[in-house]
């Protein structure tokens, strides 16, 4: 299952925040439960456990469903016949169910002869158990058939067997019945043994109206008339072995586009207007290439006879790897180049790669329990970038892994409440919470670490061992480690490595290490490790087995990411310059973690940092581009953790006036977003802006503002970054060119590429005249496109003309203007990040119009002031803000509690400046462009 769209939203929330990482805290049980020796039938659970007793196991399901979804009727009816085998003599059969009304249950012998009709049963809702209680003893090793008839209601939360809908080209609402079963929702569609390690065969048939089409994991075996006129019964070919959470079916009027020239044939299903608009073209072009790359990588062909992908309008999970019928939210499968961006295109490619990878790891090999979800999602997250990299190497998807996957989770994983990768839970709510940063980004980053440390050939062979060993079976981490160990052992020249001992330190411990490097007078490197926290006073006893590699000034070879040494789980370690492959002298810079292949941060003593800075300014290309990005990212977060001073960060970024590669720039932009807020209105802000203007000029001049069809995706991403930085710092060329693009759009209708619409609206508006401002305001009032209205509001809020800004804010309270409450609030909060003048205008407007503002919503005034408070950067501005909120609390505009919170929030930047501004000021006192 793919949750990246949620994760990416959180990336921005986290990177743009000044406090520690904001993640949902997970409960972590320090006493790790060992599942390596667990046998399915022997769990010895208490009566409150959510785990099935497994005294019986399924050997086949026959599922029959009836739906009238074409009428908008949300009831469904079902009959499931489960062939079971008795593991140990029992008086009951226990299966899962959820929100189903059970009509009757029959017990038959394995030949189909009735043993007992209308069998008694008990429904234990707390643990979602359906306990079947025949009057006969179920004999050990015997086989039986259980026939359960039931009724259900299609859900509205996008899980289980649920209803979705879309509006056709005539504006009529069309209903769709579809499924999302991972992790514990198959039990809503049919009573079943709904645990991931249990897999068996399935027959599925669905009765539906003939105007609709039914799809499932396998191809259609037969399509026959139903007894009711106008209905048909679609029966699918048997699935030989599969987990319940991978079962999928849909009933809809969708049509498809097909690539029948590949094996297996591939189809993309979607609502008719999307297919007619050729929005499936990208997915159909990319999917066979990704499939072939995956088959070659694993040396195992895809095992199902078809690969259908379906775009669902209402799909909360993002995407789901159902075998043979992969489901996606529409925006993650369909692509319209006229309205979708390069980032949308990248998401589609990486998500397809993620879900296709699961067809091997996740489907062929499944987790023994949700404890090992990280194996599924970690591999899929790793290869969602590396499969496209193998397929389209020029696009540098492998580099994108670092900035889009590893860097964000390094921040999240510093939270002291974060869980370890393996984490045992039983109840459905807690299981759902396992689909988090740790299961995806962290697990992917840890696997990335050892893929590079062991070497790609060894790693690939280990993966192949893993799939062959556990083919059509469940697996745990011990199985994975053993498979990699066999691969390593087949290369006798490699130093002995205990894979399980090493990798388990990453599996069972929360967080990650920071490596501190100190050069002694004798030239040795003393390195130490500890768990990284933003609060230095937080202490942890965790230590990891860590792969080490490095480049030096004497040997600046960044080409190999293999581990030179493996540092056992010890607190300290010494590297000798005379006893290793890469030597160095006393005056050499040294950089650990070549290409940032490994999942940890690195800090250096001040002397080593200064040597690295000297090299960057002398010839930055000597240091690998990934390490340049790593140095900036590590240094910024080390400063946040008070391990280096902020002045050093500016020294490190001083070389960037020469830098024209996207990756150091995107990392720098993330740091500068926070720095801009902390420094706004401070005594060094004008120098800071000058620094950004100087650094960004060359990269801006390289890329400009014009979209080019033949350019690489990283140049398109780089353009977005550099326009924001350069125009925000008032670079004249940026302001001029974006303004020209906006004028051309207003006056001639020149098309703006989708990814740059927001950037051109905002930055072009910074210097726009009154007529162009009014033109965009009229466009706002005339268009009914919600997304376009949002972009225009954001653009208008960027004006640097204070009179126009005041009139823009006034738009939110003018009578007769058709704006939603959300849009009114957006207008009033949009401009907070646009400088001290904008802050003063927002405060002036609030002072004069707080009564009208309170009529928008009860939270409007507080929301506006909360945004303002985030950018208070001088004592003078703080005094003005304090006077404003005092007036408001006296006059009932805000509560006393809001006053206290706002005042405290407004001091955050000032307190930060007290603690950290001095070394930044010292840097600017000596800095010359």
């Amino acid at each position: 299952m793919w949750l990246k769209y949620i994760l990416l939203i959180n990336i921005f929330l986290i990177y743009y925040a000044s406090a520690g990482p904001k993640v949902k805290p997970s409960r972590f049980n320090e006493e790790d439960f060992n599942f390596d020796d667990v046998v399915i039938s022997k769990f010895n659970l208490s009566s409150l456990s959510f785990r099935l007793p497994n005294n019986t196991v399924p050997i086949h399901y026959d599922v029959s469903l009836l739906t009238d979804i074409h009428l908008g009727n949300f009831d469904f009816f079902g009959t499931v016949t489960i062939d079971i085998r008795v593991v140990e003599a029992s008086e009951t059969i226990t299966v899962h169910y959820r929100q189903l009304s059970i009509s009757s249950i029959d017990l038959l012998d394995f030949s189909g002869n009735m043993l007992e009709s209308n069998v008694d049963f008990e429904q234990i809702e707390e643990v979602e158990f359906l306990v079947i209680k025949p009057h006969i003893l179920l004999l050990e090793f015997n086989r039986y058939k259980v026939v359960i008839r039931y009724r259900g209601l299609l859900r509205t939360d996008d899980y289980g067997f649920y209803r979705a809908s879309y509006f056709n080209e005539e504006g009529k609402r069309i209903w769709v019945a579809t499924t999302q079963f991972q992790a514990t929702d198959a039990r809503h569609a049919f009573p079943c043994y709904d645990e991931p390690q249990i897999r068996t065969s399935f027959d599925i048939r669905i009765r539906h109206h003939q105007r609709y089409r039914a799809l499932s994991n396998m191809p259609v075996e037969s399509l026959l008339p139903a007894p009711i006129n106008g209905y048909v019964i679609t029966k699918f070919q048997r699935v030989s072995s599969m987990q319940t959470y991978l079962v999928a079916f849909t009933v809809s009027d969708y049509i498809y586009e097909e690539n029948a020239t590949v094996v297996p044939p591939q189809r993309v299903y979607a609502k008719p207007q999307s297919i007619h608009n050729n929005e499936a073209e990208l997915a159909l072009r990319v999917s066979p290439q990704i499939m072939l790359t995956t088959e070659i990588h694993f040396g195992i062909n895809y095992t199902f006879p078809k690969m259908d992908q379906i775009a669902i309008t209402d799909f909360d999970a993002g995407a789901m790897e159902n075998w043979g019928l992969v489901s996606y939210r529409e925006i993650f499968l369909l692509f319209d180049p006229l309205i979708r961006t390069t980032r949308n295109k990248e998401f589609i490619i990486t998500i397809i790669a993620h879900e296709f990878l699961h067809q091997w790891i996740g489907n062929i090999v499944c987790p023994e329990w949700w404890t090992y979800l990280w194996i599924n999602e970690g591999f899929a997250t790793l290869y969602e970038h590396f499969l496209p990299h193998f397929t389209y190497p020029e696009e540098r998807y492998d580099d994108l892994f670092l900035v889009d996957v590893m860097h964000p989770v390094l921040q999240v994983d510093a939270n002291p409440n974060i869980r370890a990768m393996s984490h045992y839970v039983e109840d459905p709510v807690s299981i759902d919470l396992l689909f988090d940063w740790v299961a995806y980004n962290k697990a992917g980053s840890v696997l990335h670490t050892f893929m590079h440390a062991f070497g790609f050939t060894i790693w690939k062979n280990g993966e192949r061992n893993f799939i062959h060993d556990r083919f059509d079976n469940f697996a745990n981490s011990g199985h994975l480690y053993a498979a990699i160990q066999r691969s390593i052992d087949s290369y006798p020249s490699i130093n002995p490595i205990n894979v399980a001992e090493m990798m388990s330190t990453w599996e069972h411990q929360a967080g990650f290490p920071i490596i501190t490097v100190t050069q002694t007078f004798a030239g040795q490197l003393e390195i130490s490790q500890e768990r990284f926290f933003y609060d230095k006073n937080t202490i942890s006893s965790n230590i990891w087995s860590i792969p080490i590699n490095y480049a030096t000034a004497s040997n600046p070879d960044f080409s190999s990411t293999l581990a030179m040494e493996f540092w056992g789980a010890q607190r300290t370690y010494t590297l000798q310059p005379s006893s290793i492959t890469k030597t160095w002298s006393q005056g050499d810079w040294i950089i650990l973690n070549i290409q940032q292949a490994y999942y940890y941060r690195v800090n250096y003593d001040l002397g080593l940092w200064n040597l690295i800075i000297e090299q960057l300014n002398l010839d930055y290309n000597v240091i690998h581009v990934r390490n340049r990005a790593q140095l900036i990212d590590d240094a910024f977060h080390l400063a946040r953790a008070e391990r280096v001073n902020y002045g050093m960060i500016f020294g490190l970024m001083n070389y960037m006036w020469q830098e024209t590669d996207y990756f150091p720039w995107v990392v720098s932009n993330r740091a500068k977003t926070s720095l801009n807020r902390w420094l706004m209105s401070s005594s060094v802000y004008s120098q800071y802006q000058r620094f950004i203007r100087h650094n960004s000029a060359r990269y801006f001049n390289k890329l400009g503002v014009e979209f080019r069809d033949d350019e690489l995706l990283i140049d398109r991403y780089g353009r977005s970054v550099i326009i924001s930085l350069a125009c925000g710092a008032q670079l004249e060329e940026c302001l001029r060119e974006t303004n020209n693009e906006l004028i051309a759009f207003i006056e001639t209708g020149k098309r703006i590429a989708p990814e740059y619409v927001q950037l051109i609206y905002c930055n072009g508006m910074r210097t726009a005249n009154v007529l162009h401002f009014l033109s965009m305001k009229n466009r706002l009032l005339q268009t009914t496109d919600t997304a376009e209205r949002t972009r225009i509001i954001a653009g208008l809020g960027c004006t640097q003309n204070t009179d126009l800004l005041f009139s823009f804010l006034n738009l939110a309270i003018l009578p007769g203007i058709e704006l939603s409450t959300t849009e009114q609030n957006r207008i009033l909060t949009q401009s907070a990040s646009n400088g001290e003048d904008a802050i003063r205008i927002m405060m002036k407007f609030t002072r004069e119009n707080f009564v009208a503002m309170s009529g928008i919503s009860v939270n409007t005034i507080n929301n506006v002031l909360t945004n303002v408070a985030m950018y208070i950067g001088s004592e003078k501005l703080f005094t003005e803000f304090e006077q404003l909120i005092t007036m408001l609390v006296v006059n009932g505009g805000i509560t006393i509690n809001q006053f206290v919170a706002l005042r405290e929030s407004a001091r955050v930047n000032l307190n930060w400046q007290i603690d950290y501004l001095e070394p930044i000021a010292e840097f600017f006192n000596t800095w010359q462009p």
Side-chain angles (χ1 to χ4, degrees):
M1 185 163 60
W2 196 88
L3 301 175
K4 185 173 181 179
Y5 74 101
I6 297 173
L7 300 182
L8 286 173
I9 291 171
N10 287 329
I11 287 172
F12 292 106
L13 293 176
I14 289 168
Y15 267 106
Y16 297 162
S18 63
K22 297 182 173 78
V23 296
K24 287 185 286 189
S26 298
R27 291 176 295 176
F28 173 56
N29 182 5
E30 295 288 348
E31 297 178 0
D32 295 316
F33 190 89
N34 182 9
F35 276 84
D36 292 347
D37 299 320
V38 166
V39 179
I40 290 179
S41 61
K42 304 290 183 183
F43 278 103
N44 299 320
L45 303 174
S46 73
S47 59
L48 296 178
S49 174
F50 285 78
R51 299 294 297 269
L52 292 173
N54 291 301
N55 51 356
T56 63
V57 294
I59 54 178
H60 180 69
Y61 291 91
D62 193 314
V63 181
S64 295
L65 294 166
L66 296 78
T67 174
D68 290 324
I69 188 62
H70 68 290
L71 298 174
N73 183 341
F74 306 131
D75 289 323
F76 69 90
F77 298 85
T79 300
V80 59
T81 300
I82 312 175
D83 296 350
I84 67 168
R85 177 171 57 84
V86 179
V87 176
E88 55 187 32
S90 176
E91 296 178 347
T92 62
I93 302 166
T94 303
V95 297
H96 285 115
Y97 88 105
R98 177 180 293 158
Q99 299 170 349
L100 296 175
S101 175
I102 307 300
S103 303
S104 66
I105 301 177
D106 295 336
L107 180 68
L108 290 70
D109 66 20
F110 201 67
S111 298
N113 301 308
M114 182 69 70
L115 295 177
E116 183 177 342
S117 62
N118 292 314
V119 178
D120 291 340
F121 60 89
E122 179 185 5
Q123 296 171 269
I124 308 176
E125 293 185 6
E126 294 80 3
V127 290
E128 301 181 333
F129 282 179
L130 173 63
V131 182
I132 302 166
K133 301 179 176 180
H135 291 94
I136 62 171
L137 178 68
L138 303 171
L139 300 178
E140 187 176 8
F141 307 128
N142 276 17
R143 296 183 177 187
Y144 301 88
K145 292 180 182 287
V146 178
V147 182
I148 307 172
R149 301 171 186 86
Y150 58 95
R151 175 179 178 176
L153 183 68
L154 296 175
R155 283 160 57 173
T156 60
D157 63 355
D158 298 353
Y159 284 88
F161 193 19
Y162 72 94
R163 67 188 88 160
S165 67
Y166 71 92
F167 290 94
N168 67 13
E169 291 168 317
E170 289 75 43
K172 180 182 178 183
R173 189 171 197 168
I174 306 297
W175 289 100
V176 173
T178 189
T179 59
Q180 169 55 36
F181 289 162
Q182 194 180 43
T184 64
D185 285 291
R187 65 192 69 173
H188 175 256
F190 55 98
C192 57
Y193 295 75
D194 200 12
E195 295 188 348
Q197 80 281 14
I198 301 174
R199 55 199 299 158
T200 188
S201 56
F202 289 84
D203 283 324
I204 296 172
R205 59 177 61 80
I206 302 176
R207 192 204 74 178
H208 56 91
H209 196 272
Q210 62 187 8
R211 289 192 293 107
Y212 273 41
R213 171 188 280 113
L215 301 172
S216 189
N217 306 86
M218 292 290 283
V220 173
E221 180 178 287
S222 63
L223 183 64
L224 301 173
I228 302 174
N229 188 39
Y231 285 77
V232 294
I233 297 174
T234 302
K235 184 178 187 304
F236 301 94
Q237 296 176 20
R238 175 170 292 189
V239 179
S240 61
S241 176
M242 188 168 65
Q243 311 90 291
T244 51
Y245 77 81
L246 291 177
V247 174
F249 36 82
T250 65
V251 180
S252 72
D253 71 341
Y254 282 9
I255 62 175
Y256 65 86
E257 187 173 342
E258 182 178 33
N259 184 343
T261 65
V262 296
V263 179
Q266 300 211 12
R267 291 178 175 180
V268 172
Y269 286 85
K271 60 181 187 281
Q273 56 260 49
S274 296
I275 297 298
H276 294 152
N277 196 37
N278 296 319
E279 294 174 25
E281 188 276 332
L282 173 65
L284 271 182
R285 175 164 47 85
V286 167
S287 296
Q289 295 172 300
I290 297 292
M291 177 74 77
L292 179 61
T293 300
T294 314
E295 289 179 326
I296 292 171
H297 176 73
F298 287 125
I300 300 170
N301 288 338
Y302 174 69
T303 57
F304 265 45
K306 72 177 177 74
M307 171 51 78
D308 292 340
Q309 298 177 90
I310 186 166
I312 307 292
T313 48
D314 306 305
F315 195 73
D316 184 66
M320 178 61 204
E321 63 267 20
N322 311 307
W323 228 336
L325 180 60
V326 181
S327 304
Y328 300 80
R329 183 177 285 200
E330 280 189 325
I331 60 171
F332 295 137
L333 185 64
L334 305 179
F335 184 75
D336 182 350
L338 294 178
I339 61 174
R340 305 291 297 282
T341 68
T342 303
R343 183 67 76 174
N344 297 140
K345 182 178 179 180
E346 182 215 330
F347 281 178
I348 289 170
I349 293 171
T350 56
I351 295 168
I352 288 172
H354 184 109
E355 304 309 329
F356 278 20
L357 188 284
H358 274 315
Q359 307 302 304
W360 281 260
I361 299 181
N363 295 12
I364 291 177
V365 182
C366 65
E368 182 179 15
W369 183 250
W370 299 112
T371 304
Y372 304 105
L373 174 69
W374 66 267
I375 298 177
N376 281 21
E377 300 303 343
F379 273 103
T381 302
L382 174 64
Y383 283 106
E384 74 184 36
H385 283 80
F386 279 84
L387 292 175
H389 168 66
F390 300 148
T391 310
Y392 311 105
E394 73 281 358
E395 298 287 15
R396 297 175 64 183
Y397 281 94
D398 54 341
D399 291 334
L400 285 169
F401 178 88
L402 296 181
V403 296
D404 288 349
V405 175
M406 187 183 290
H407 286 186
V409 78
L410 279 167
Q411 186 168 1
V412 173
D413 206 22
N415 190 309
N417 297 315
I418 205 77
R419 69 176 181 89
M421 287 180 358
S422 278
H423 180 63
Y424 180 70
V425 292
E426 287 189 6
D427 66 278
V429 172
S430 297
I431 289 170
D432 285 344
L433 291 175
L434 292 178
F435 290 81
D436 61 3
W437 286 91
V438 173
Y440 288 75
N441 289 44
K442 179 179 182 177
S445 298
V446 169
L447 295 174
H448 183 274
T449 297
F450 289 99
M451 177 178 74
H452 284 275
F454 297 151
F456 187 70
T457 299
I458 285 176
W459 183 258
K460 181 175 67 175
N461 291 340
E463 292 171 325
R464 291 179 175 186
N465 291 342
F466 179 57
I467 296 173
H468 281 289
D469 292 349
R470 306 304 299 172
F471 199 94
D472 199 20
N473 208 337
F474 64 80
N476 56 48
S477 57
H479 297 127
L480 175 63
Y481 301 156
I484 299 171
Q485 186 71 59
R486 287 213 321 280
S487 179
I488 287 177
D489 292 345
S490 68
Y491 289 81
S493 61
I494 294 179
N495 293 328
I497 295 171
N498 187 319
V499 174
E501 190 176 280
M502 184 174 299
M503 292 186 68
S504 64
T505 65
W506 297 84
E507 175 191 355
H508 294 296
Q509 295 185 117
F512 65 92
I514 175 173
I515 310 303
T516 301
V517 184
T518 304
Q519 191 169 32
T520 68
F521 289 111
Q524 298 172 333
L525 292 184
E526 300 289 346
I527 61 177
S528 63
Q529 64 160 298
E530 60 183 300
R531 183 175 170 185
F532 180 81
F533 296 108
Y534 287 103
D535 180 1
K536 288 180 65 176
N537 295 320
T538 305
I539 298 173
S540 169
S541 60
N542 290 3
I543 52 175
W544 290 262
S545 291
I546 298 174
I548 297 291
N549 61 19
Y550 45 86
T552 73
S554 299
N555 194 343
D557 181 2
F558 288 86
S559 60
S560 173
T561 57
L562 285 171
M564 297 176 185
E565 303 189 26
F566 286 98
W567 175 12
Q570 299 169 339
R571 188 68 64 186
T572 60
Y573 192 62
T574 301
L575 294 175
Q576 302 283 353
S578 58
S579 62
I580 47 169
T581 339
K582 289 187 179 179
T583 59
W584 65 85
S585 61
Q586 188 69 29
D588 278 2
W589 54 260
I590 294 159
I591 293 177
L592 263 68
N593 198 357
I594 291 174
Q595 298 185 38
Q596 200 176 12
Y598 309 151
Y599 181 64
Y600 51 75
R601 295 199 186 278
V602 184
N603 192 12
Y604 303 92
D605 65 38
L606 185 57
L608 288 173
W609 272 119
N610 287 334
L611 290 169
I612 292 168
I613 290 170
E614 286 177 17
Q615 180 61 64
L616 287 170
N617 283 282
L618 179 65
D619 183 359
Y620 70 97
N621 277 309
V622 170
I623 297 174
H624 196 281
V625 64
R626 294 183 190 173
N627 287 102
R628 302 199 300 268
Q630 172 206 14
L631 289 165
I632 296 168
D633 187 64
D634 278 354
F636 176 69
H637 291 286
L638 291 169
R640 284 185 54 193
E642 299 183 325
R643 294 174 182 269
V644 301
N645 70 61
Y646 281 93
M648 197 208 74
I649 297 173
F650 285 92
L652 191 65
M653 294 191 293
N654 189 47
Y655 90 95
M656 291 192 68
W657 67 272
Q658 309 169 80
E659 181 67 75
T660 57
D661 193 285
Y662 166 71
F663 293 97
W665 273 108
V666 68
V667 173
S668 177
N669 183 49
R670 289 169 177 172
K672 288 171 181 173
T673 300
S674 295
L675 290 167
N676 187 69
R677 178 165 59 84
W678 297 334
L679 296 174
M680 187 180 290
S681 303
S682 72
S683 59
V684 303
Y685 192 63
S686 61
Q687 295 166 293
Y688 169 77
Q689 291 283 77
R690 185 181 173 212
F691 179 76
I692 302 300
R693 285 196 299 273
H694 172 70
N695 280 3
S696 61
R698 177 177 291 190
Y699 193 37
F700 177 81
N701 289 331
K702 173 190 174 183
L703 297 177
V705 300
E706 288 283 351
F707 178 94
R708 294 188 289 276
D709 288 333
D710 61 345
E711 64 188 345
L712 298 175
L713 95 173
I714 59 165
D715 286 336
R716 295 180 183 180
Y717 293 168
R719 183 175 295 110
S720 296
V721 167
I722 205 63
I723 288 175
S724 295
L725 272 172
C727 284
Q730 306 296 305
L731 183 69
E732 183 179 345
E733 304 96 294
C734 185
L735 294 173
R736 181 177 62 251
E737 291 187 30
T738 53
N739 182 247
N740 288 341
E741 287 292 303
L742 180 63
I743 292 171
F745 168 74
I746 293 170
E747 296 183 352
T748 70
K750 179 184 177 183
R751 181 176 176 268
I752 304 171
E755 45 247 84
Y756 306 130
V757 170
Q758 184 69 76
L759 288 166
I760 298 301
Y761 283 4
C762 174
N763 295 293
M765 188 56 64
R766 291 184 189 276
T767 55
N769 62 30
V770 175
L771 289 177
H772 295 137
F773 179 90
L774 293 175
S775 177
M776 290 301 289
K777 186 172 80 169
N778 290 335
R779 183 179 178 85
L780 167 67
L781 300 177
Q782 291 168 7
T783 185
T784 57
D785 185 323
T786 303
E788 175 69 354
R789 289 169 69 91
T790 299
R791 290 190 291 263
I792 295 172
I793 287 171
L796 291 170
C798 292
T799 179
Q800 294 176 326
N801 182 313
T802 54
D803 292 334
L804 292 179
L805 179 56
F806 196 90
S807 71
F808 169 64
L809 297 175
N810 200 52
L811 195 65
I813 60 172
L814 280 177
I817 303 295
E818 293 188 10
L819 296 167
S820 69
T821 300
T822 299
E823 289 173 336
Q824 290 174 293
N825 281 288
R826 189 173 283 132
I827 287 170
L828 293 171
T829 57
Q830 194 66 55
S831 305
S833 62
N834 288 329
E836 188 172 342
D837 289 343
I839 291 291
R840 285 201 160 89
I841 290 296
M842 292 175 70
M843 289 197 294
K844 179 178 185 291
F845 183 85
T846 303
R847 184 180 298 106
E848 296 176 4
N849 298 283
F850 71 90
V851 175
M853 290 168 64
S854 65
I856 297 174
S857 73
V858 294
N859 294 319
T860 294
I861 295 175
N862 189 60
N863 289 343
V864 171
L865 296 175
T866 298
N867 277 271
V868 168
M870 290 174 62
Y871 293 92
I872 300 296
S874 70
E875 290 291 348
K876 183 178 180 182
L877 208 55
F878 176 80
T879 299
E880 295 173 21
F881 183 77
E882 188 176 43
Q883 290 170 349
L884 171 62
I885 61 175
T886 300
M887 182 276 291
L888 289 170
V889 76
V890 168
N891 289 279
I894 59 175
T895 66
I896 187 64
N897 288 337
Q898 289 172 334
F899 170 87
V900 172
L902 288 166
R903 189 180 185 280
E904 183 178 340
S905 178
R907 287 228 58 99
V908 168
N909 288 350
L910 296 176
N911 292 338
W912 183 91
Q913 291 174 19
I914 290 170
D915 292 336
Y916 305 118
L917 189 62
E918 184 177 350
I920 299 175
E922 290 175 359
F923 170 81
F924 284 125
N925 285 340
T926 59
W927 174 72
Q928 291 295 327

